[in-house]
Amino acid sequence: MTSSVSTIGFGEAASAFAEGWVAAGLAVHAYDRKSDIPHTVSAKRADFDRAGVQGCESTADCLARSDLVLCLVTADQATAAAREAAMSLTPGTLWLDMNSVAPDTKRTAARVIEAVGGRYVDVAVLSPVLPKRLNAPLMVSGPHAAEAAGRLADIGFTDITIVEGGVGAAAAVKMIRSVMIKGIEALSAECAIAADRAGVMETVIASLDASWPGADWGTRLDYNLDRMMVHGLRRAAEMEESVATLDSLGVGSTMTRGTVALQHSLGALGIDPPDGLAAKLAALAPRAEEAAE
C-alpha cells in the first residue's frame, strides 16, 4: 500500500490532488522551482503549508522521499524536469509524467528517465482538475501502465484507463482532444469580445442558445473567458505541444496556431478576472485590441 507520494511542481493540479492525499493520511512531499526564486519563495512556501505538504529544498530531496513521483510542471518545463530528476533518481522509481505535452516530448522524457533506471509512465489528465480533484479522468500508457494504474488507485484516483500503444499514446489523446477544447475556448473569447464591441451580446447569446438548446452560452462564454484570462499562458504552452503533435502527424495546425496566439495574448494581459461575463469584458475593453493582435 502506498504511504507517500512526491510531486515535482506544485501548481493548481498538484495542490488539488494533495488535498485528498493529506486527508487520507499520505505523506506528501513537493518541490517547485518557484520555491527557489526570491520574489515567489514566500508564496510557494505558503502554498505548501496551506496544503499540509512537506516542501522540499530540491528535486533530489523530493525524489528521495518516495518511489512514486508525479511530475506536474508547465508544458515547457516537462523535459527539463525529467533531465534534472535523472541526476538523482533512484532506480525503480515510478515517474508519472502528467504534463500536457506532445507524444514526442513524452518519449524524449521517457528516454531520459529510463536511462537511469527509472520507470516512466505517460499519464494524461482529461479534464480540469477542479472541481473533480482525484476524480479527474486519467489515461495511462507505457510499459509500466498497469502498475502505475494500481498505484494511482492506491492514492485515491478513481477514474483510470489504460491505453494500449506505449509511451505517447495517452499524450496523443490529450493533445488532440485539446485542439477542440482549447480551440472552443479561443473561439468563444473572440466571439464574446466581438459581440460586446458591436453591442449585440444578448442577441448573439440568444441565437447560440437557440442553435444548441441547453448549452447556456452565456455561462459558457463567461467560464471560457475566465479560464483564458487566468491560465492563458499555460494553455498556450500546452497548445504549442498540440501544434507539434498535429504537425508530426502531417495534418497541419492552422486553426491550433490561432488558438495558441489568442490564449497567449489574453493570458499575458495579467488581468484578475472579475465575476460575470459583462465585468470581464469591461476589464478587457481598454486592451481588447492588444489581445486580438
Side-chain angles (χ1 to χ4, degrees), residues 58-85:
S58 65
T59 293
D61 179 27
C62 195
L63 295 179
R65 307 301 184 97
S66 177
D67 67 347
L68 180 65
V69 181
L70 278 61
C71 184
L72 290 154
V73 297
T74 55
D76 58 343
Q77 293 299 310
T79 303
R83 287 176 175 150
E84 183 173 352

Side-chain angles (χ1 to χ4, degrees), residues 25 29 36 50 56 64 68 83 89 99-100 108 113 125 128 141 143 184 199 202 204 216 227 243 254 260 266 277:
H29 309 278
D36 290 335
R50 187 163 43 249
C56 297
L68 180 65
R83 287 176 175 150
L89 193 74
N99 301 302
S100 297
T108 296
I113 294 298
V125 184
S141 69
I184 288 174
E202 292 184 5
V204 167
D216 190 3
R227 296 296 80 192
V243 167
T254 301
V260 171
L266 287 184
L277 179 59

